[in-house]
Amino acid sequence: MPGIDKLPIEETLEDSPQTRSLLGVFEEDAAAISSYVNQLYRAMHRIYDAQNELSAATHLTSKLLKEYEKQRFPLGGDDEVMSCTLQQFAKVIDELSSCHAVLSTQLADAMMFPITQFKERDLKEILTLKEVFQIASNDHDAAINRYSRLSKRRENEKVKFEVVEDVYTSRKKQHQTMMHYFCALNTLQYKKKISMLEPLLGYMQAQISFFKMGSENLTEHLEEFLTNIGTSVQNVRREMESEVETMQQTIEDLEVASDPLYLPDPDTTKFPVHRNLTRKAGYLNARNKTGLVSSSWERQFYFTQGGNLMSQARGDVAGGLVMDIDNCSVMAVDCEDRRYCFQITSFDGKKSSILQAESKKDSEEWICTINNISKQIYLSENAEEIAARVNQSALEAVTPSPSFQQRHESMRPTIQSRPPTARTSSSGSLGSESAPLSTLSLDSLVAPDTPIQFDIISPVSEDQPGQAKTSGQSGRRTNPFGESGGSKSETEDSILHQLFIVRFLGSMEVKYDETPDVVYETMRQILAARAIHNIFRMTESHLLVTCDCLKLIDPQTQVTRLRFPLPNIALYATHQENKRLFGFVLRTSGGRAESRPTSVCYIFESNNEGEKICDSVGLAKQIALHAELGRRASEKQKEIERVKEKQQKELSKQKQIEKDLEEQSRLIAASSRPTQSSGEGQFVVLSSSQSEDSDLGEEGKKKRESEA
């Protein structure tokens, strides 16, 4: 027998389009088997019906021959020879009728019973499992859609628990149903052979037995052939039983092992993030813009193929290209209506895509995988080992360690105590900067004897001049999935969010921050120092421009390396000829002399986007200025309202005092009337005085007399 095609039960939980496509082939095969078996069943049923009719007709003929002698014919009724002959025929035909009856029974047991069982039980079981699996798949898709639509801002724990429980139940149901459905389809590949061979084997054996009862002259090679077929059927049956046991055991093992994976967001402590991947596949939600401000999300299967990101719908045979991710940039983004989102931007910045992963673990793995692919690590022989070393180096760049300061100091070239002539001698390194920059001298622009910093120091060990306390605020790791973790992000409500890929060239302290010549001179000195000391390594980062600050973010770990408050940026400019170079001057609270504020100039290289970055910084400062003016106007309006409210309260208080005085005057006038009107009133007053005297006793009387 040739090999049996089987569906991979181990891939049921992933439910990839390839698995679904293979499942469609098996379903088409099952439909073809069902159609063919129905036709074969009708043909065999005709044989069985014909055999039953032949057996009944033979029996009726024998019965009629036996009753011949009882017939009363008008002529020739007493023919004894005819009666004996017919009786002999009746006996032979009766024996033949018995043989036909045995043949009918054997056909019912050996031919009709197997094909009927296969048609009524096995094929109907496949159809039932198919319907149950379709329902479970639809329920799982609906549960996933509800889970994906969970709001991040208005998170309801009860609703979230119900949705997560629904995802768990539907995924478990789909997985179990799919495994049993695959098992049934795999078993069908064995049963389809048995269902066609067993009836034919039973039919031929019944016919041989039928003929043996009448003759012993059947050929031996036919019996040998049928014997071989019977042996083959038994071997297939034993193989099927063994395979069914194996598949059942596999199902039990997968049910136990896959139980934690039914949750949409597994615990990362039990299932750690794999950061060294160079290939990944899985379902993601892609955001598609449907209008200027509206968008929709579509769930598709995404996978990496070399340096390309591919997508594939569930019913498609092959995937389509989404984006070339060689030299691309990827980072976690904060979407208003979705969690676990990340953005992929092509190298030229012309194409970007925002995708949503199912869990935090899945999102981090996608970001790390795309970062590894963008560095073309997948072209190496030991891709995972190289990715592990690269990620470890990136992690060490933002992870505190006792020896980091010494290691960084040993790698940094020191340029100190340079005479002023050293600065002027390399004035031609920027081309057009050979002419005098301004009427100001170079010493008035750049602080004398200023060391140049060529690399970005980790925030945990940063305590250098020019960014002493500014970058210290950036030691907190930014959440790459847009979740604030209880405290609202400072840039969450910012109107402006623009991301650029930049490479840090260096920084140094400057004395003047009111003319672009400071930036040009700093560029010249830093580039000249790099050329003199053969420093070519540059740190690549993502520069995020918002209305509050500028952030340098590590593309690997999404950690904020440096943070520059926007109000402290005093000056920014692009190189006059090389538009890839740009820089800005940052005012800080302390430097080499703690008694005075200092200014530090930072120089970067971009992908021909220097002017665009400067425009974005200018736009951010304008937005911040308008926001500050609006805030001041709002505070002034609130102060005016508070003054009006205070005046209103004073006026109300004055009116209340006047009202109380009028009320007291009225009461005094009313209390003085009874003493002058009647004796009854005098009696009342005297009675009250007498009651008071009686209460006070002798001491009270003396006091009253003295007052009188």
Side-chain angles (χ1 to χ4, degrees):
M1 285 290 178
I4 303 297
D5 295 325
K6 292 184 293 184
L7 283 167
I9 299 179
E10 296 80 4
E11 298 179 5
T12 52
L13 181 58
E14 183 182 2
D15 191 20
S16 64
Q18 289 80 5
T19 306
R20 285 295 185 102
S21 178
L22 186 60
L23 174 61
V25 176
F26 274 74
E27 288 177 344
E28 291 179 2
D29 183 74
I33 292 172
S34 178
S35 176
Y36 180 80
V37 166
N38 286 331
Q39 298 178 14
L40 186 62
Y41 171 82
R42 288 192 292 269
M44 290 185 175
H45 203 281
R46 289 182 64 182
I47 295 175
Y48 176 65
D49 291 340
Q51 183 59 43
N52 286 337
E53 183 65 23
L54 180 58
S55 177
T58 306
H59 179 68
L60 180 60
T61 301
S62 174
K63 182 179 179 181
L64 290 175
L65 290 176
K66 289 180 180 179
E67 293 177 353
Y68 179 79
E69 61 182 3
K70 299 178 182 179
Q71 299 298 321
R72 295 294 181 261
F73 296 106
L75 299 173
D78 296 331
D79 192 354
E80 294 292 331
V81 176
M82 187 64 178
S83 297
C84 291
T85 303
L86 292 178
Q87 288 296 327
Q88 189 66 30
F89 274 108
K91 183 178 180 180
V92 174
I93 294 176
D94 188 57
E95 292 177 358
L96 187 59
S97 176
S98 299
C99 293
H100 280 291
V102 172
L103 178 59
S104 297
T105 303
Q106 290 179 347
L107 290 178
D109 295 338
M111 182 180 72
M112 295 307 301
F113 179 79
I115 196 168
T116 303
Q117 285 288 96
F118 179 72
K119 176 177 176 293
E120 298 295 331
R121 183 184 65 185
D122 298 328
L123 293 180
K124 284 187 177 181
E125 180 186 4
I126 293 294
L127 294 177
T128 303
L129 286 175
K130 181 179 180 181
E131 294 177 358
V132 173
F133 166 68
Q134 190 64 38
I135 294 172
S137 179
N138 294 337
D139 292 343
H140 176 253
D141 291 343
I144 283 294
N145 288 332
R146 287 195 296 273
Y147 175 79
S148 300
R149 290 195 300 269
L150 279 176
S151 175
K152 186 190 75 173
R153 294 181 179 270
R154 298 179 297 175
E155 186 167 304
N156 190 330
E157 292 297 328
K158 182 179 178 181
V159 174
K160 181 180 178 182
F161 175 78
E162 292 176 355
V163 172
V164 170
E165 188 69 18
D166 192 13
V167 172
Y168 172 84
T169 304
S170 60
R171 182 167 291 175
K172 183 175 182 180
K173 181 180 178 182
Q174 181 192 4
H175 186 207
Q176 293 176 350
T177 305
M178 197 172 186
M179 287 192 296
H180 289 287
Y181 186 35
F182 278 26
C183 178
L185 288 175
N186 290 341
T187 308
L188 182 65
Q189 300 303 310
Y190 295 94
K191 288 184 177 180
K192 72 178 182 181
K193 298 184 178 183
I194 297 173
S195 64
M196 288 183 285
L197 294 178
E198 270 193 343
L200 296 176
L201 180 63
Y203 173 77
M204 296 305 297
Q205 288 178 343
Q207 292 292 345
I208 290 176
S209 299
F210 172 74
F211 288 114
K212 276 186 177 181
M213 286 186 290
S215 175
E216 297 295 332
N217 297 325
L218 293 176
T219 56
E220 294 182 358
H221 72 277
L222 182 59
E223 292 181 352
E224 183 180 358
F225 171 76
L226 296 178
T227 301
N228 293 334
I229 295 297
T231 303
S232 178
V233 168
Q234 293 301 321
N235 292 335
V236 173
R237 182 177 292 277
R238 284 193 294 270
E239 185 180 352
M240 181 194 71
E241 292 174 354
S242 175
E243 187 65 26
V244 168
E245 292 180 0
T246 303
M247 289 189 293
Q248 291 293 342
Q249 184 62 39
T250 303
I251 289 175
E252 294 177 3
D253 296 340
L254 288 176
E255 284 181 351
V256 174
S258 303
D259 189 74
L261 300 178
Y262 294 138
L263 290 172
D265 194 359
D267 189 1
T268 54
T269 58
K270 298 180 180 178
F271 301 93
V273 179
H274 200 319
R275 302 184 181 276
N276 306 328
L277 298 174
T278 55
R279 291 184 301 173
K280 187 168 177 59
Y283 282 99
L284 295 172
N285 291 329
R287 188 173 75 172
N288 300 318
K289 287 188 176 181
T290 57
L292 294 177
V293 295
S294 60
S295 60
S296 62
W297 295 84
E298 182 181 3
R299 188 168 184 259
Q300 284 191 342
F301 187 84
Y302 284 80
F303 60 96
T304 60
Q305 191 175 69
N308 298 323
L309 179 65
M310 314 288 287
S311 69
Q312 185 175 358
R314 179 171 289 180
D316 294 346
V317 178
L321 177 64
V322 177
M323 186 185 299
D324 182 4
I325 54 179
D326 277 339
N327 299 320
C328 74
S329 63
V330 58
M331 68 173 297
V333 294
D334 185 10
C335 293
E336 295 180 355
D337 56 341
R338 296 289 175 117
R339 305 176 301 167
Y340 312 138
C341 297
F342 58 94
Q343 179 176 348
I344 308 172
T345 306
S346 61
F347 175 75
D348 54 6
K350 296 181 179 179
K351 187 174 183 180
S352 64
S353 180
I354 296 180
L355 304 172
Q356 180 198 15
E358 188 176 271
S359 63
K360 178 180 179 181
K361 172 181 176 295
D362 199 25
S363 178
E364 290 189 4
E365 286 186 351
W366 271 106
I367 291 174
C368 294
T369 302
I370 294 175
N371 266 324
N372 294 336
I373 295 176
S374 68
K375 294 178 174 59
Q376 299 182 352
I377 298 177
Y378 66 93
L379 299 175
S380 307
E381 294 182 359
N382 300 323
E384 288 199 4
E385 294 181 4
I386 297 176
R389 291 199 298 269
V390 171
N391 290 329
Q392 184 64 28
S393 301
L395 189 61
E396 289 176 355
V398 294
T399 303
S401 72
S403 62
F404 181 84
Q405 182 77 16
Q406 292 81 0
R407 186 167 65 252
H408 185 84
E409 291 295 335
S410 64
M411 294 173 58
R412 183 198 306 172
T414 57
I415 305 177
Q416 297 180 354
S417 302
R418 293 181 299 157
T421 56
R423 297 192 193 101
T424 56
S425 61
S426 59
S427 60
S429 61
L430 289 179
S432 64
E433 299 301 317
S434 57
L437 296 175
S438 64
T439 58
L440 298 172
S441 64
L442 297 181
D443 287 336
S444 64
L445 296 177
V446 180
D449 301 331
T450 301
I452 299 176
Q453 181 175 308
F454 293 101
D455 201 354
I456 298 175
I457 301 180
S458 172
V460 296
S461 61
E462 176 101 33
D463 195 13
Q464 302 299 323
Q467 50 191 24
K469 302 301 180 183
T470 303
S471 62
Q473 305 171 10
S474 61
R476 180 180 64 84
R477 176 170 176 141
T478 58
N479 194 325
F481 305 103
E483 295 180 325
S484 58
S487 62
K488 192 172 183 180
S489 175
E490 61 183 356
T491 60
E492 184 175 352
D493 295 329
S494 179
I495 300 175
L496 183 65
H497 281 272
Q498 290 191 353
L499 189 69
F500 303 95
I501 300 175
V502 298
R503 288 167 291 280
F504 182 71
L505 295 178
S507 63
M508 60 187 301
E509 186 176 342
V510 297
K511 295 177 60 177
Y512 201 72
D513 56 6
E514 296 181 0
T515 174
D517 294 340
V518 178
V519 179
Y520 304 151
E521 173 62 17
T522 306
M523 289 180 181
R524 185 191 66 77
Q525 291 200 25
I526 289 177
L527 291 179
R530 280 182 169 268
I532 292 171
H533 294 274
N534 295 324
I535 302 174
F536 302 105
R537 184 173 64 89
M538 294 183 289
T539 303
E540 183 173 286
S541 304
H542 289 169
L543 179 65
L544 179 64
V545 181
T546 67
C547 297
D548 300 320
C549 62
L550 271 65
K551 285 186 177 182
L552 279 181
I553 301 174
D554 185 87
Q556 289 284 339
T557 59
Q558 302 302 315
V559 170
T560 300
R561 288 173 169 169
L562 290 177
R563 179 184 179 277
F564 308 102
L566 196 62
N568 293 359
I569 297 178
L571 180 67
Y572 50 91
T574 308
H575 192 270
Q576 294 174 332
E577 294 183 358
N578 188 356
K579 301 304 179 182
R580 299 174 62 183
L581 300 177
F582 76 97
F584 57 84
V585 179
L586 183 74
R587 292 176 181 172
T588 59
S589 58
R592 292 183 299 169
E594 294 294 336
S595 60
R596 63 175 181 83
T598 60
S599 299
V600 179
C601 183
Y602 293 85
I603 306 301
F604 297 89
E605 181 188 32
S606 65
N607 298 331
N608 295 321
E609 294 180 337
E611 291 183 347
K612 188 182 296 184
I613 296 175
C614 291
D615 292 341
S616 298
V617 175
L619 178 61
K621 293 184 75 69
Q622 290 180 7
I623 294 174
L625 177 62
H626 287 299
E628 179 66 20
L629 293 176
R631 184 185 64 80
R632 292 181 181 179
S634 177
E635 289 181 355
K636 186 175 181 180
Q637 183 65 28
K638 289 181 180 179
E639 184 66 26
I640 294 173
E641 292 178 356
R642 283 197 297 268
V643 172
K644 289 183 178 180
E645 185 179 357
K646 185 176 180 180
Q647 293 176 354
Q648 187 68 27
K649 287 183 179 180
E650 292 291 337
L651 184 60
S652 300
K653 187 176 180 180
Q654 185 68 27
K655 290 181 179 180
Q656 185 65 32
I657 292 173
E658 294 177 357
K659 186 177 180 181
D660 292 342
L661 291 175
E662 292 177 0
E663 184 67 22
Q664 289 179 3
S665 301
R666 188 179 62 79
L667 291 175
I668 293 172
S671 62
S672 63
R673 264 188 227 108
T675 59
Q676 302 173 2
S677 59
S678 62
E680 185 178 358
Q682 293 175 0
F683 175 77
V684 172
V685 173
L686 291 174
S687 299
S688 62
S689 300
Q690 291 173 0
S691 61
E692 291 178 0
D693 291 342
S694 61
D695 292 337
L696 294 173
E698 293 297 332
E699 185 178 354
K701 290 179 181 180
K702 291 179 180 180
K703 185 177 181 181
R704 186 177 294 277
E705 289 176 359
S706 64
E707 289 177 356

